[in-house]
Amino acid sequence: MTTTERPSRPARPAHDRGRAPAARAVVRRWTGPAWLDGPMTSAHLVLGAAGLLLVIGVVMVFSASAIEAALADEPAWAPGVKQLVLACIGLGALMIALRLPVGLVRRWSRFALVVVVVLLVLVLIPGIGLERNGARQWIPLGFTDFQPSELGKLVFALWGAHVLALRERYLTTKSLLVPVLPVFGVLALLLIAEPDFGGVVSLGLVLVGLLWAGGMPMRWFGAFAGVAVVTLAVMVWAAPYRMARVTSFLDPFADPTNTGFQAIRGMYALATGGLWGVGLGNSAMKWNILPEAESDYIFAIIGEELGFLGCLVVVTLYGVLAYAGFRIARRSADRFVQLASVAITVWLIGQATMNMGYVVGLLPVTGVTLPLISAGGTSLILTLFIVGLLARFALSEPAAVEALRTAERGRLARLLLPAPTTAVDQVRPRRLGDDPGNPRPAVGSGRTLLHVRGAAPRRTPQRTEAPPRSRTAAGRGAGAPRTGAATPPPRQRSGSSASGAARRRPGGDR
């Protein structure tokens, strides 16, 4: 009788025994194309999406503003050329942001916050601030008008990220809210005094991004949402023009010649465009029919001239910009970069969502502009500067730093995309009050841990030094020490002390 030998099966691990074959199946996840995981993908996505949005914006401002300028006995090309010049200035600001060290941005964020508060106070003074449509929001500079609220959003995002990054290793719910929430309250009150309701909402988006990236529990966001709803209700009830905006949003056809005039004309523009649009430059609503066609309601002109497909391209580009911003935050090793990237991305995409939302009739009119597309001076330049900061943060990813420092690049590439020195820019660390001898780094890549109010942060227990051996054990000669014998601590040099060593420790407070 012959026997057939069977190959021996490999033994299954203990934790896998008794499980169904379907449970042991390998789950394959979609990873996307290989180029999407490249070291420079984040920077390319940010610059590419922002560049296309900027080109679309310049073209649409030329188209939307030409007729109104001609009807006002001005050159038809003047508003478009002004937008082009401002875009060139913004590109210069983008190049400056690409070369800014992250540590320099962090160190100067607190001084920039003081400057912003001063500017927000100055704009309220008659003779300094310029009043338009009942709001004093601008400081005239001659060639353009400077809006301090736009700078305030950026500075608040950078300062808030710096403060939270410094407190990363001992972050609690209280230290997460203070002083970020009080500073937000001061800036919001100054914006309400202008009044600039849209600026307050945009500043609130920055706050939400900071708290979300910092690890705020969701129950706190629910409480903040309730407070925000009550506050907005009081603000709307106190100001008649805000109440008119809300009522026109709920039923714009109830007053088609006054409060609902702009919303209805925007819907007509989108309906006329259909799928393909009426063609670039062929809009009928820009003939002084739709107010603020080149700024607040430029998305309606895009829908009329380029159709649904043109609007879809714009929405897709904002989606790419959002993906790139969150990708930078996920892949970065610097905690400040993570916080700032999330706050900036939430702000930009949230503001674009609000603008497109009230144009299509889904949100109340807040007067915020469409980033990188709407006509504007300060907003366009600062938005391009923010895009440059996002690209600079993308270059600080560890894989990007290695790729930029090892790859052979031409002079133009080195000029446009400089290689950072390190992935994490160190700042002077802070010490806890009860542990002065243990310096803690100001940045890190770990996950934020929020502690219960009043509870001390958890720390790793420190080892205690074993007592020195007795003279009998020390004088036994050069033989091997007994098992379990403690090693004597090294002797300190004469003239040195523990306090002197602590003062000479690198990075400690002096």
Side-chain angles (χ1 to χ4, degrees), residues 66-145:
I67 301 300
E68 188 173 353
L71 293 177
D73 295 332
E74 297 178 359
W77 45 264
V81 170
K82 179 181 179 181
Q83 182 77 357
L84 183 61
V85 171
L86 292 173
C88 293
I89 298 175
L91 290 176
L94 185 147
M95 296 300 300
I96 294 175
L98 273 175
R99 309 190 69 86
L100 281 178
V102 177
L104 181 65
V105 175
R106 297 186 61 174
R107 286 192 298 269
W108 284 93
S109 60
R110 64 188 68 179
F111 303 104
L113 182 64
V114 176
V115 173
V116 163
V117 173
V118 173
L119 290 175
L120 289 176
V121 173
L122 290 177
V123 78
L124 299 176
I125 301 176
I128 298 179
L130 181 62
E131 184 175 357
R132 291 177 181 172
N133 299 326
R136 196 179 301 274
Q137 304 176 6
W138 300 269
I139 297 178
L141 300 179
F143 65 97
T144 186
D145 297 329

Side-chain angles (χ1 to χ4, degrees), residues 465-471 473-475 481-482 484-492:
E465 294 184 354
R469 292 184 296 173
S470 61
R471 294 183 180 179
R482 290 187 301 174
T487 304
R491 296 182 178 179
Q492 296 181 355

